[in-house]
Amino acid sequence: MKRQIFKKIKYNNTPFYKEVFFVFMFFLFNNFLFSQKSPTIITAVDSTKIKIGEQINYKILVEADSTAQIVFPEGQTFSPLEMVEEYPVDTLKNQDKFNLIKKYALTQFDSGHYTIPKQRVLVNNIPHFTDSLLVEVASVQVDTTKQKMYDIKPLVEVEKQSTGKWVKYALWSLLALLLIGFILYWFVFRKKPLTEEEKIALLPPYDRALLELKNLDESKYLIQSEYKEYYSELTNIVRSYIEDDVHISALESTTDELINKLEMLKDAGSLKIDNETIKQFQRVLKTADLVKFAKSKPDSTIIESDRKAVEQIVVKTKEAIPEPTEEELLANEQYLAELEQKKQRKKIIIAAIAGVFLLLATTAGFIGYYGFKHVKDTVIGHPTKELLEGEWIYSEYGYPSISIETPKVLKRIQIPYPEEAKQMIQSNQAFAYGSMVDNFYILVSSLTFNKGVENPDLKSIIENTIASMEKGGAKNVVVKEEKFTTSSEKEGLKAYGSMDVENKLLNKTVKSEYVILNFAQNGGFEQVIITYKQGDRYAEDIVNRIINSIDFKTQS
């Protein structure tokens, strides 16, 4: 009596009324079954008649001990209906027991009568099965008499859009230009931050010499009794200044050679320096020679006197240099400008060579590692390579459902069947991507037969499938057959081989490969057909991945 009342309630079409009575029946069964130790499982739907695409709520109610572990069905276990949404579990406490309600939103896009199969609920790892429910899906009636009629629009010619490859070319060209531009900027146009040594080197010789003398005073040479290093640095400062400003080779000259050169400039009138300064400079250089080569250790007073003497020599030498004429200044500026231009041209040439070398080296490295064809397909683009490396989708199709992983979502299509075949078929669903003349094509179909119809002969179906492919433009079909077993140990029959596919639009024939997988079990039949261009290694990888992913849900 309670079961009859419950059925009447679940067929009612008032949502609030149904929810109230569903909870009411829930507690009614609680009182009746409270003393039972085994769990109580009840199922209900809010309607058994829906239109195509309309959703129904399927509920599973479980009453069990508070310590029980309960696992509800997951995934697409409601075939031939499709699960749209799974809701969280509602939990109600009833004394020392828990009442759990799990709700699913289901739908179907084909009209007909469908049975929601038994669902397995695990309670403490013990399976319990619900009752199956019958649902009627009605087609949507369309009154065409109320529709306005319009003339058929004429054909309009449009230009074929073939921007895909040009977009890739543009992107790769832009990337190369950006790389070359970055190299030019980094090595040519970028103003690099100068180090302290570079900043000092850019100073005029006179200012640089005075700054270096100041830095020498702050060094630790004298504190650490490193007299040789101190005098080497001291004399190098004044020698470098004389070489830069007076334009004589001072760093590589001995003491006597350097003094002779200064005296010759003085006698020629090119350097207006007095004899006392030259003698003072000679004395400092000789003291430095004794320290560096004879390991002499001068007194601190001598060291301090030599330090001051060097600074005076730099100052007096600067004063002794004649002022350059306007012609000399102009020539010097022109020389510096030409020198700067040469440096810039040299940098540009180096950067361009480096950019070209980098591109060639990178390309050669990729070709050596991946191969020329792979690099070409990556740069220019390849349709099946993009499919292989794109985001794949793992889903279930049809009823009995077939689980398969594909590079694109398969779209539902209609396959025409002969009248004699329609009398044996109870339901059929087909899903596909592409066509036989495309680079890659896959078709997944699933059939259920009426009661009393025996499982089909898989070899006969392969012959019929080949015949259909020949009607679609296939020629010279080579057929090979072998048994096939999925990862879930379901056996089927595999047919594969080569064929020529006629593309009537392009008026050419393409050599292709194909794979046909057939499965038959418990009044149901599933088929997977894949075709692709011959010699396409990316397509071969796609086929292997698809075939290895095929699985079937165990129908309760």
Side-chain angles (χ1 to χ4, degrees):
M1 182 62 183
K2 291 178 179 178
R3 188 174 182 84
Q4 293 176 354
I5 295 171
F6 183 73
K7 286 185 177 180
K8 290 179 181 179
I9 293 168
K10 71 181 182 181
Y11 294 155
N12 194 288
N13 290 324
T14 307
F16 179 77
Y17 182 76
K18 289 180 289 186
E19 296 292 336
V20 172
F21 271 91
F22 184 77
V23 177
F24 170 75
M25 290 303 301
F26 179 81
F27 285 102
L28 188 62
F29 274 97
N30 283 348
N31 296 330
F32 180 72
L33 300 171
F34 179 78
S35 61
Q36 298 182 5
K37 294 183 179 180
S38 60
T40 302
I41 301 177
I42 305 171
T43 57
V45 291
D46 53 5
S47 178
T48 58
K49 293 183 179 181
I50 60 172
K51 296 179 181 180
I52 291 177
E54 190 177 356
Q55 295 183 15
I56 59 173
N57 290 321
Y58 177 84
K59 302 174 185 177
I60 301 177
L61 182 150
V62 179
E63 181 189 71
D65 293 337
S66 59
T67 58
Q69 294 182 351
I70 301 173
V71 179
F72 288 97
E74 295 182 357
Q76 298 290 347
T77 63
F78 302 94
S79 295
L81 271 72
E82 298 180 15
M83 186 185 74
V84 179
E85 188 173 1
E86 179 181 351
Y87 298 96
V89 178
D90 290 334
T91 305
L92 301 174
K93 187 174 183 182
N94 184 13
Q95 297 181 5
D96 62 338
K97 293 196 174 186
F98 276 112
N99 301 321
L100 288 83
I101 302 174
K102 182 71 172 179
K103 187 168 69 171
Y104 304 86
L106 309 179
T107 189
Q108 175 57 254
F109 296 96
D110 287 329
S111 60
H113 293 80
Y114 298 93
T115 300
I116 300 177
K118 296 178 181 180
Q119 299 298 311
R120 188 175 70 165
V121 180
L122 293 177
V123 181
N124 292 328
N125 292 325
I126 299 175
H128 298 269
F129 292 91
T130 66
D131 293 333
S132 59
L133 295 174
L134 183 64
V135 177
E136 180 182 351
V137 181
S139 59
V140 179
Q141 298 295 329
V142 179
D143 188 356
T144 58
T145 61
K146 296 182 179 180
Q147 298 284 342
K148 291 184 179 182
M149 305 300 291
Y150 299 94
D151 292 335
I152 298 175
K153 292 185 177 181
L155 296 175
V156 179
E157 292 186 2
V158 296
E159 294 183 1
K160 183 178 179 182
Q161 300 295 326
S162 57
T163 59
K165 290 185 177 180
W166 290 108
V167 171
K168 292 181 180 178
Y169 295 151
L171 289 176
W172 281 106
S173 300
L174 179 61
L175 181 62
L177 290 174
L178 288 175
L179 181 60
I180 295 174
F182 174 78
I183 294 173
L184 289 174
Y185 165 76
W186 189 262
F187 291 102
V188 180
F189 303 108
R190 181 175 68 99
K191 292 183 179 180
K192 302 177 184 178
L194 300 176
T195 62
E196 193 65 30
E197 291 78 9
E198 291 174 335
K199 290 179 181 179
I200 294 174
L202 291 176
L203 292 173
Y206 177 74
D207 296 334
R208 183 172 64 249
L210 295 181
L211 181 61
E212 289 176 347
L213 288 173
K214 182 180 178 182
N215 293 336
L216 180 63
D217 294 338
E218 298 173 357
S219 67
K220 297 181 180 180
Y221 291 139
L222 298 179
I223 298 175
Q224 298 174 356
S225 300
E226 296 176 352
Y227 303 109
K228 179 180 178 181
E229 288 76 5
Y230 179 82
Y231 268 92
S232 296
E233 186 74 20
L234 182 65
T235 54
N236 281 339
I237 292 172
V238 68
R239 283 173 178 268
S240 297
Y241 168 70
I242 292 174
E243 186 165 305
D244 292 338
D245 242 5
V246 184
H247 306 298
I248 59 174
S249 57
L251 291 172
E252 303 299 329
S253 301
T254 63
T255 299
D256 293 337
E257 290 174 346
L258 180 55
I259 296 300
N260 289 333
K261 291 177 182 178
L262 292 175
E263 289 177 344
M264 289 175 63
L265 289 174
K266 172 182 173 295
D267 295 339
S270 300
L271 186 66
K272 298 177 181 180
I273 191 170
D274 56 88
N275 291 327
E276 183 61 29
T277 302
I278 296 177
K279 290 180 180 179
Q280 191 178 24
F281 186 29
Q282 185 178 21
R283 180 180 59 78
V284 173
L285 292 177
K286 288 186 177 294
T287 304
D289 290 340
L290 291 174
V291 172
K292 289 188 290 184
F293 303 111
K295 296 183 180 181
S296 173
K297 295 181 181 181
D299 295 334
S300 58
T301 55
I302 296 176
I303 294 174
E304 185 177 355
S305 174
D306 290 344
R307 161 66 182 80
K308 291 180 180 180
V310 167
E311 185 171 351
Q312 288 296 319
I313 293 167
V314 171
V315 173
K316 289 183 178 181
T317 304
K318 172 67 176 174
E319 296 173 351
I321 299 174
E323 291 292 331
T325 63
E326 291 186 3
E327 291 77 8
E328 291 175 340
L329 291 174
L330 185 61
N332 187 49
E333 290 180 0
Q334 186 176 358
Y335 169 76
L336 292 176
E338 292 177 355
L339 185 63
E340 185 65 25
Q341 289 179 358
K342 288 181 180 179
K343 289 181 179 179
Q344 290 295 332
R345 284 197 296 269
K346 183 178 180 181
K347 287 182 179 181
I348 292 174
I349 293 172
I350 293 173
I353 294 174
V356 173
F357 176 77
L358 179 62
L359 288 176
L360 293 176
T362 304
T363 304
F366 278 119
I367 292 175
Y369 187 80
Y370 295 104
F372 175 77
K373 189 175 185 303
H374 181 88
V375 174
K376 178 178 74 71
D377 294 339
T378 302
V379 175
I380 300 177
H382 194 283
T384 50
K385 184 176 184 295
E386 294 174 1
L387 287 177
L388 177 63
E389 297 176 352
E391 183 177 356
W392 284 54
I393 298 95
Y394 187 82
S395 185
E396 296 179 9
Y397 298 93
Y399 177 79
S401 64
I402 175 171
S403 301
I404 191 169
E405 187 181 24
T406 56
K408 294 290 183 180
V409 176
L410 306 185
K411 296 182 179 180
R412 185 186 296 271
I413 62 171
Q414 294 292 334
I415 298 179
Y417 291 97
E419 289 298 327
E420 58 272 16
K422 289 182 179 179
Q423 296 176 2
M424 297 185 295
I425 297 173
Q426 181 182 9
S427 65
N428 68 89
Q429 296 94 32
F431 308 85
Y433 168 78
S435 65
M436 279 204 310
V437 296
D438 292 332
N439 292 283
F440 190 83
Y441 167 64
I442 178 171
L443 170 68
V444 176
S445 59
S446 182
L447 304 177
T448 55
F449 298 100
N450 293 322
K451 293 183 179 179
V453 178
E454 297 181 356
N455 286 337
D457 181 24
L458 298 184
K459 289 191 175 182
S460 299
I461 291 181
I462 288 178
E463 294 175 359
N464 294 332
T465 303
I466 297 297
S468 298
M469 292 168 61
E470 289 175 340
K471 290 181 180 179
K475 297 178 180 179
N476 304 323
V477 182
V478 178
V479 183
K480 301 177 184 179
E481 295 182 6
E482 64 182 28
K483 290 184 178 180
F484 178 77
T485 305
T486 66
S487 58
S488 59
E489 303 299 327
K490 183 166 183 180
E491 295 184 353
L493 186 61
K494 176 182 178 181
Y496 62 98
S498 61
M499 60 182 178
D500 296 331
V501 180
E502 183 181 0
N503 191 332
K504 296 181 180 180
L505 293 176
L506 301 178
N507 194 22
K508 69 175 183 178
T509 301
V510 179
K511 293 188 177 296
S512 302
E513 302 280 340
Y514 73 90
V515 177
I516 303 173
L517 300 175
N518 292 335
F519 304 91
Q521 183 175 322
N522 299 331
F525 169 75
E526 301 93 0
Q527 185 180 64
V528 178
I529 301 175
I530 305 174
T531 66
Y532 57 96
K533 288 186 178 180
Q534 198 173 68
D536 189 343
R537 60 189 182 94
Y538 305 114
E540 293 174 358
D541 293 340
I542 294 174
V543 172
N544 292 332
R545 183 170 174 178
I546 290 175
I547 292 176
N548 292 332
S549 71
I550 294 176
D551 196 7
F552 299 88
K553 292 289 184 181
T554 302
Q555 304 299 323
S556 301

